[in-house]
Amino acid sequence: MSSEDEEMDVNKEKHEDDMEDDDDDNSDDTSSDSSEEQIDESKQESELVALRDIVQSNLYNYQSHIDYITLSRQYGNLDHLRLARQTMSEIFPLTQQLWLDWFHDEKQLLISNTQENKNMIQLFERAVNDYLSIMIWIEYVQYRIPYYVSLNSIEELRNLFERGLSSCAVHLTDGSLIWAAYIETEKAILDGLILNYNQNNTNKDLKEKILQHVDYIVTLYRRQLSIPLRDMKNVYYKDYNEFCQQYKEYLPSNYTEKYDLVIKHDYDLAIQHLERCEKFEKELEDTKRSVATYRKYIEFEKEPARIQCLYERAIVDNCLDGDLWLSYIDFAEEYLSSTTLLQPIYERSLRNCTWVATLWIRYAEYMELTKTVDHSQLKQIYDRALNSDPTNLISFVDIQLAYLQYRRRHYDQELLSNNTEQCEILKEEIRRACEYTCDQYQELFLSSADPNLFLKYNGQLELFWVHLEVKIFHSIDHARQIWNGRTLMNKTHNQLISNLWKAYYYTEINYGDEKHARKVLYRALNHIKTMDYPLAICDILLEHEKKYGTIQQLKETKEKLKEIKSKIVPVEKPRRQQQQQQQQQTNNKKQPNKGNQKDNKKKPVKNANNKMDTTAPPVHTNGNTTTDQQPLSPRKRKLSPEEPQNLKKKPVVPTIDSEGFKIPALPPQLPSVPSQPSSSSTTPSTSTLNTSKHTDHLNTVFVANLSYEADEEALRQALSPAGPIKDVRIVKHEWSGKSKGFGYVDFQTSEGYRQALKLDNTPINGRPMYVNPYDANKSASNDLTKKFKYATSLEQNKLFLSNLPFSATKEQIENLFKEKGYTVKDIRLVTQKSGKPKGLAYVEFNDAHEAAQAVMKTDGTMMDEHAIKVALSNPPPRKETNTKPTGQKTTSLGQAPKATGPRGKGYSQLSLVPRKLASASTTPTSTAPKSESTPSTTSKMNNDDFRNMLFSKK
């Protein structure tokens, strides 16, 4: 017993010892593994830290950002990965794949999709603003569906889908994906409603919801099938028809007339447009989506919404093309007037093309124009622009010049407020900015000593500084300091540029005195031997002495210039001839086919003194040449001397006479000629307009679409709330004195001018008047046809109502939307020129989301037995009217062309020629063969012939 116990104790001790040994071995293995892992983690951390430092040392190195993100994701280091993505997204827009990877990694860390995660929502919102991506939109709505369904918030889900459609709905290649996601989501909701209704058939409210939901889905199909998209045939013939068959019991009784025929018509038009677009899509694939192909595609499209989508697609494929961004901005400024749409485009362009100075300048000018930022923020924009590409000489000069021009405008605004103390502070700040800019140019680009480069680049900065001193600050002394201390005396090569001396001279003549101006010219003579155009300085000096000098000074100047020219001309003349020959050779290389055309032209005749005869035929004071020079057309009558001269049309004055010589330009016509008879009493407005061309139009507005009954007093009362008015002029017909429907209003202050522009579309005598800035370079007809156009782009905060009863009023429409819970900002009823309603209206809201909700709740609402149609305002482009050639007049059915007399009008005498003979006189030109049975009108017919013709049987 004891021996066995002892043996068991011994074995137990051995076993325990063995276990301890095993534990020791395991602990050794674990410690060795953990130490290896620690070594690997520390090595990975050091690699990631090294990449992070590289990124932070140069934030604009795109590839370093990509390497940092890739390595962080490979090592699974979440902290470094989030930092890398956040840093890159603040500097550069991310591609679609980078965003999708980010979403995938973040969603794995979420606990539940039914809880709102603000960080994820912010990520999605930033992603949809970088580039056009349908997959990101689909990912966004799929992420939000569980949350909205848990709250039973279908309207919020629909608003999110509508936002996606506003960006991607017209995407020809991939747009059908987001439409399919939208419709499938609505179908799932519909199936849930039907399931609940089958469990409780007595619920009438549920039945009504099902009918409305079916109607809503059919409306979605109608919207989708009216847009040219790929795979739309499958959608129409399969998806849409299957849906109608499956839910036909819930379709309205007038389904065919209300939906089916309309959808088929819109679908046919979309298919036709799709076939034309597929040619460009194929060309895009062949050219690897080049910018040139996109430009041709954009030029083909006429719909603003599709053009915007094409620009977005082009930017996805060519995001670094600065000219493409500039074209997109030009389009956006014309069709997308909303600040919420334009400003993101500017900011996206700068994130893609930070080195394009024009983008920075236009962005800063836009922010200044819209007054969305203050002075300090604008200064930050210009500082960022300079730091974007500091080594580019052209960009530096353009941005600095734009910044100085902005500071000048800022100074002018303070000057209008009569704040003298602040103006003095700003003046010194501008001077310091100009000095710092010119010094910085010298530091960065000191190696460029070429005088041509100075005039092209740095000279612009210094000359603009001079302009500020003499024109804005009225300080000729500071301007002289710039000329003498910087521009001329401080730079030896600038003294050889004659244009700089001329600019200095004219500065003294216009803003200084003639004594300083004479000194400038005599200083220029010291460098006359090495100057680029010395004879120009000599001519200016001679003219100066003729105007301002004494007879003794004129004599001395002539003698001195004669001596100078005797030394310069023998050297200067061959050099000029050589330059002309080189220029001529360059022009011949550019235009190789012009030689034959020049030989065929008549050579000018020279007079006896071997000088070209520059005399032109006599020209009348009203601009008409003599009858030998320009014979009158026989169809145009001459105006009698008693008729007013202002009725004559302005003739086209030829620039070359019959012998090939250039006719000199006519002198400007005086406002009034004493020899002319006074015009009739019905033309006061015309003379007023002619004299007003010589006045200041900075505070003048152009008003159009006026009622013909509106007079100056009515227009004055309508615009008087803007401010004090100086003058009101309504343009009238010269012969009748009636209004032409437009005019001009001069305000005494610039504030009144700006407030008047806000009164655009204010009704006057039942018609909305159009108020726009006056442009002296455009005629009134151009203003009427170009300035005042209704929007032709998608207006997301405005609804278009059609099929309204003619008796509908603004109050009724406003009450209609109030009943649905919406507040209307403005309502405009569309009327004909006579004032009769068209049954159309535009309703504007404060918010685009509110407008989108109002469409869904008010479309199809009954008003006075009319089912009104409600949609987002998206006017089509205006079609150009086909104007017929002058002189052609369309005849009505059965009407022969009227004979005209020598004055181009019909004869007043009655035609006594029988119809039979008159018709026969017009037939000889016909090529149709005569019938044998038809008697000739030239042969005489007796009574028997007439009897046989009348009683002849066919």
Side-chain angles (χ1 to χ4, degrees), residues 455-723:
L455 283 179
K456 191 174 182 180
Y457 301 117
N458 191 28
Q460 296 186 41
L461 300 174
E462 294 185 3
L463 293 179
F464 185 74
W465 188 3
V466 172
H467 166 76
L468 290 177
E469 293 291 350
V470 298
K471 190 71 175 178
I472 308 300
F473 303 151
H474 307 289
S475 176
I476 186 64
D477 294 332
H478 280 87
R480 287 168 182 161
Q481 292 177 7
I482 300 170
W483 279 113
N484 298 326
R486 284 182 172 274
T487 306
L488 289 173
M489 302 306 295
N490 197 28
K491 305 176 183 66
T492 306
H493 59 274
N494 289 351
Q495 299 173 2
L496 311 180
I497 306 174
S498 60
N499 284 336
L500 285 178
W501 290 105
K502 289 165 62 177
Y504 189 8
Y505 166 77
Y506 287 119
T507 301
E508 290 288 354
I509 283 293
N510 295 327
Y511 304 100
D513 53 72
E514 59 90 13
K515 293 182 179 179
H516 283 86
R518 181 183 286 107
K519 290 181 180 179
V520 171
L521 295 177
Y522 274 95
R523 285 171 54 191
L525 290 180
N526 296 329
H527 310 280
I528 201 72
K529 294 181 179 179
T530 55
M531 197 175 294
D532 53 356
Y533 293 97
L535 296 179
I537 301 298
C538 298
D539 296 338
I540 293 176
L541 178 57
L542 183 61
E543 290 296 324
H544 178 84
E545 296 299 346
K546 289 180 180 179
K547 292 181 180 179
Y548 306 102
T550 63
I551 187 63
Q552 186 64 28
Q553 290 174 332
L554 179 61
K555 179 182 177 182
E556 293 175 356
T557 301
K558 286 184 177 179
E559 293 176 354
K560 188 170 184 177
L561 294 180
K562 183 178 180 181
E563 181 183 356
I564 291 174
K565 289 183 177 180
S566 63
K567 299 178 181 179
I568 293 177
V569 171
V571 179
E572 186 70 13
K573 189 174 181 180
R575 186 164 67 91
R576 293 296 172 209
Q577 292 177 352
Q578 184 178 2
Q579 290 180 355
Q580 291 177 0
Q581 292 176 358
Q582 292 177 355
Q583 184 67 25
Q584 187 175 2
Q585 291 176 0
T586 304
N587 294 336
N588 292 337
K589 290 180 180 179
K590 292 181 179 179
Q591 300 176 352
N593 297 327
K594 294 290 184 179
N596 296 332
Q597 297 179 5
K598 291 182 179 180
D599 295 336
N600 296 331
K601 292 183 179 179
K602 181 184 285 187
K603 296 183 179 180
V605 181
K606 296 186 179 181
N607 55 13
N609 296 329
N610 200 22
K611 293 183 180 180
M612 185 174 291
D613 186 7
T614 57
T615 58
V619 182
H620 295 304
T621 56
N622 61 359
N624 294 325
T625 58
T626 59
T627 55
D628 296 336
Q629 173 69 15
Q630 185 180 5
L632 294 175
S633 173
R635 286 185 173 272
K636 296 183 179 179
R637 65 183 180 91
K638 297 181 180 179
L639 292 172
S640 61
E642 293 78 15
E643 293 185 42
Q645 293 294 328
N646 55 10
L647 291 182
K648 295 183 179 182
K649 295 182 179 179
K650 186 177 180 181
V652 180
V653 182
T655 58
I656 303 297
D657 63 4
S658 59
E659 296 182 355
F661 294 100
K662 183 177 180 181
I663 300 177
L666 297 177
Q669 189 175 354
L670 297 177
S672 60
V673 181
S675 61
Q676 278 187 342
S678 60
S679 57
S680 60
S681 60
T682 61
T683 60
S685 60
T686 306
S687 60
T688 305
L689 287 178
N690 291 336
T691 57
S692 65
K693 291 181 180 179
H694 304 283
T695 61
D696 188 6
H697 292 294
L698 293 178
N699 299 330
T700 302
V701 297
F702 175 70
V703 186
N705 199 42
L706 295 174
S707 172
Y708 295 137
E709 289 76 21
D711 55 4
E712 285 84 355
E713 186 61 30
L715 184 57
R716 183 185 294 273
Q717 292 179 1
L719 293 176
S720 58

Side-chain angles (χ1 to χ4, degrees), residues 36 79 113 259 315 321 350 402 429 494 496 534 593 676 699 782 805 815 851 948:
E36 290 179 359
D79 295 334
N113 288 342
Y259 293 113
I315 284 167
D321 193 312
L350 294 174
E429 288 181 359
N494 289 351
L496 311 180
N593 297 327
Q676 278 187 342
N699 299 330
N782 288 339
N815 293 333
N948 294 333

Side-chain angles (χ1 to χ4, degrees), residues 4 13 57 106 170 178 251 265 278 342 379 412 481 494 520 719 742 767 801 846 867 876 906 917:
E4 291 179 358
E13 291 176 358
S57 63
E106 292 292 339
V170 295
I178 193 168
L251 294 174
H265 176 265
E278 285 292 355
L342 263 175
K379 189 176 181 301
D412 290 342
Q481 292 177 7
N494 289 351
V520 171
L719 293 176
F742 62 91
R767 291 176 63 88
L801 278 61
N846 293 319
L917 297 180

Side-chain angles (χ1 to χ4, degrees), residues 219-418:
T219 304
L220 287 179
Y221 274 117
R222 183 184 66 185
R223 291 170 58 189
Q224 179 186 2
L225 293 172
S226 64
I227 301 172
L229 300 172
R230 280 185 180 173
D231 199 36
M232 63 184 307
K233 290 184 178 180
N234 189 37
V235 173
Y236 178 74
Y237 290 106
K238 183 179 179 183
D239 299 345
Y240 171 65
N241 289 329
E242 287 180 357
F243 174 81
C244 293
Q245 291 295 327
Q246 184 177 356
Y247 301 98
K248 61 181 178 181
E249 58 179 310
Y250 302 108
L251 294 174
S253 58
N254 59 344
Y255 157 77
T256 304
E257 295 80 9
K258 185 178 180 181
Y259 293 113
D260 202 32
L261 296 178
V262 176
I263 291 176
K264 184 64 170 66
H265 176 265
D266 294 343
Y267 167 77
D268 292 338
L269 294 179
I271 282 292
Q272 294 175 7
H273 192 81
L274 176 64
E275 293 175 354
R276 294 192 293 268
C277 291
E278 285 292 355
K279 299 178 182 178
F280 293 97
E281 294 291 342
K282 185 178 183 304
E283 188 174 354
L284 281 176
E285 296 296 333
D286 296 339
T287 59
K288 297 182 180 179
R289 303 187 177 277
S290 64
V291 176
T293 307
Y294 271 115
R295 290 188 183 277
K296 290 194 294 184
Y297 200 170
I298 291 170
E299 186 178 356
F300 160 75
E301 280 289 0
K302 304 301 180 184
E303 182 68 27
R306 287 199 285 266
I307 293 176
Q308 183 183 5
C309 184
L310 283 176
Y311 270 117
E312 291 290 349
R313 290 177 57 189
I315 284 167
V316 171
D317 298 323
N318 307 274
C319 60
L320 303 181
D321 193 312
D323 292 335
L324 179 62
W325 279 107
L326 288 171
S327 300
Y328 188 18
I329 290 173
D330 291 337
F331 164 80
E333 287 181 344
E334 183 177 357
Y335 292 97
L336 308 177
S337 57
S338 174
T339 307
T340 57
L341 299 176
L342 263 175
Q343 185 173 340
I345 296 176
Y346 275 109
E347 294 172 350
R348 290 168 55 207
S349 67
L350 294 174
R351 294 180 67 195
N352 285 273
C353 302
T354 56
W355 59 88
V356 181
T358 309
L359 289 174
W360 285 104
I361 295 172
R362 293 189 62 174
Y363 175 54
E365 291 175 350
Y366 174 78
M367 300 300 286
E368 179 187 357
L369 180 64
T370 55
K371 298 179 181 180
T372 53
V373 294
D374 57 11
H375 171 67
S376 60
Q377 293 172 319
L378 268 175
K379 189 176 181 301
Q380 291 178 0
I381 293 175
Y382 282 107
D383 290 339
R384 288 170 53 200
L386 288 173
N387 294 329
S388 63
D389 192 11
T391 60
N392 190 307
L393 185 144
I394 300 176
S395 300
F396 176 86
V397 174
D398 291 343
I399 294 172
Q400 289 286 17
L401 196 60
Y403 174 63
L404 295 178
Q405 292 167 355
Y406 156 68
R407 296 302 300 267
R408 191 269 306 165
R409 292 191 293 268
H410 185 212
Y411 175 81
D412 290 342
Q413 292 177 357
E414 293 295 332
L415 201 62
L416 292 175
S417 62
N418 297 325

Side-chain angles (χ1 to χ4, degrees), residues 675-844:
S675 61
Q676 278 187 342
S678 60
S679 57
S680 60
S681 60
T682 61
T683 60
S685 60
T686 306
S687 60
T688 305
L689 287 178
N690 291 336
T691 57
S692 65
K693 291 181 180 179
H694 304 283
T695 61
D696 188 6
H697 292 294
L698 293 178
N699 299 330
T700 302
V701 297
F702 175 70
V703 186
N705 199 42
L706 295 174
S707 172
Y708 295 137
E709 289 76 21
D711 55 4
E712 285 84 355
E713 186 61 30
L715 184 57
R716 183 185 294 273
Q717 292 179 1
L719 293 176
S720 58
I725 296 176
K726 183 189 300 184
D727 189 21
V728 177
R729 305 182 301 280
I730 293 182
V731 182
K732 300 178 180 179
H733 291 283
E734 295 86 350
W735 59 89
S736 64
K738 293 183 179 180
S739 170
K740 289 186 176 181
F742 62 91
Y744 305 87
V745 180
D746 298 330
F747 286 87
Q748 296 181 5
T749 62
S750 59
E751 180 63 25
Y753 162 79
R754 289 192 293 269
Q755 295 298 328
L757 296 178
K758 298 179 181 180
L759 297 177
D760 187 28
N761 285 324
T762 301
I764 175 173
N765 288 6
R767 291 176 63 88
M769 65 176 175
Y770 304 151
V771 185
N772 267 45
Y774 170 72
D775 189 354
N777 297 324
K778 294 185 178 181
S779 62
S781 61
N782 288 339
D783 290 339
L784 287 173
T785 56
K786 295 182 180 179
K787 284 283 184 182
F788 303 101
K789 290 185 178 181
Y790 288 112
T792 57
S793 60
L794 179 64
E795 300 173 288
Q796 297 184 352
N797 64 330
K798 188 178 291 186
L799 302 184
F800 175 67
L801 278 61
S802 58
N803 199 32
L804 289 169
F806 293 151
S807 59
T809 62
K810 291 184 178 180
E811 290 76 12
Q812 289 178 329
I813 298 175
E814 185 176 5
N815 293 333
L816 171 66
F817 286 95
K818 278 186 178 180
E819 293 174 358
K820 303 293 184 180
Y822 301 108
T823 303
V824 175
K825 179 181 178 182
D826 186 29
I827 298 175
R828 181 171 64 85
L829 293 173
V830 183
T831 60
Q832 299 177 357
K833 291 185 178 181
S834 61
K836 294 182 179 180
K838 290 185 176 182
L840 309 174
Y842 289 92
V843 180
E844 185 175 0

